[in-house]
Amino acid sequence: MFAIRRATQEDIDLIRRLAREAFPATYRELLTPEQLDYMMAWMYAPEVLRRELDEGFAWFIASADGEPCGYLSVERQESALFHLQKIYVLPRFQGCGAGAFLFRCAVEYIRSVHSGPCRMELNVNRRNRALGFYFRMGMRRLREGDFPIGGGYYMNDYIMGLDIS
């Protein structure tokens, strides 16, 4: 049984612990160890998470039978545009519906804060095996790009979109 709750500043250590397991497992075959380390520090440093929570990013933590199993964050970028910044499931919970649960929770959150039609977008590495998952969840590929993130590294992504009514 899955449950979800909104994360707070008190959850920063938990988010970091979940990310240390989920993020490298997702990207170890796609990125160098150096880029993985760089991206972990860039995205999951305590001050980064604190700033995002202060600035209104909606962070959520999912649990399966009481055990944390994944997380997501959503950023409102424009009036009717939201960005699914993060959606990760711990490896041992993949394949049992946790990802779909998190995805649906992101959509439900967006509907709760925006009453009209809008779009949810996300960036996904062009070689990420989660691409099939996003297509199954109803997303479509909008565009692609190579985005510099500092340190000489790039995110080579598709930008996927889901129209929400």
Side-chain angles (χ1 to χ4, degrees):
M1 182 70 182
F2 296 113
I4 194 144
R5 67 178 178 79
R6 183 94 181 240
T8 67
Q9 296 281 344
E10 289 74 37
D11 292 307
I12 288 174
D13 287 341
L14 174 58
I15 292 167
R16 288 172 47 84
R17 183 170 51 87
L18 294 170
R20 278 193 299 271
E21 186 176 344
F23 189 81
T26 301
Y27 293 105
R28 83 172 32 100
E29 294 177 11
L30 303 176
L31 306 175
T32 65
E34 295 79 17
Q35 185 170 354
L36 276 172
D37 290 344
Y38 178 86
M39 291 180 75
M40 283 292 296
W42 175 56
M43 294 189 299
Y44 294 105
E47 60 274 11
V48 171
L49 297 175
R50 211 173 348 272
R51 178 182 46 77
E52 288 184 2
L53 286 161
D54 285 344
E55 291 178 358
F57 284 54
W59 278 85
F60 295 89
I61 297 171
S63 298
D65 298 322
E67 182 182 353
C69 66
Y71 58 95
L72 68 90
S73 75
V74 177
E75 176 191 17
R76 185 178 211 151
Q77 293 187 323
E78 296 173 14
S79 171
L81 178 63
F82 294 81
H83 200 88
L84 181 55
Q85 292 287 354
K86 315 251 184 339
I87 179 168
Y88 290 95
V89 174
L90 296 180
R92 67 183 172 279
F93 292 99
Q94 292 178 357
C96 66
F101 172 77
L102 275 167
F103 189 92
R104 286 190 303 275
C105 288
V107 172
E108 287 172 23
Y109 164 75
I110 291 168
R111 284 186 175 133
S112 78
V113 298
H114 187 81
S115 59
C118 60
R119 176 178 289 160
M120 178 176 74
E121 293 183 354
L122 68 81
N123 288 45
V124 59
N125 184 288
R126 292 191 295 259
R127 298 183 301 144
N128 189 327
R129 61 190 168 120
L131 275 168
F133 167 78
Y134 295 123
F135 284 122
R136 285 191 304 279
M137 297 307 293
M139 299 195 90
R140 59 191 167 88
R141 192 169 64 207
L142 303 175
R143 57 194 178 279
E144 67 181 80
D146 298 313
F147 306 99
I149 59 171
Y153 298 114
Y154 287 81
M155 293 191 331
N156 310 110
D157 291 347
Y158 291 127
I159 292 82
M160 309 282 291
L162 178 71
D163 293 320
I164 299 172
S165 50

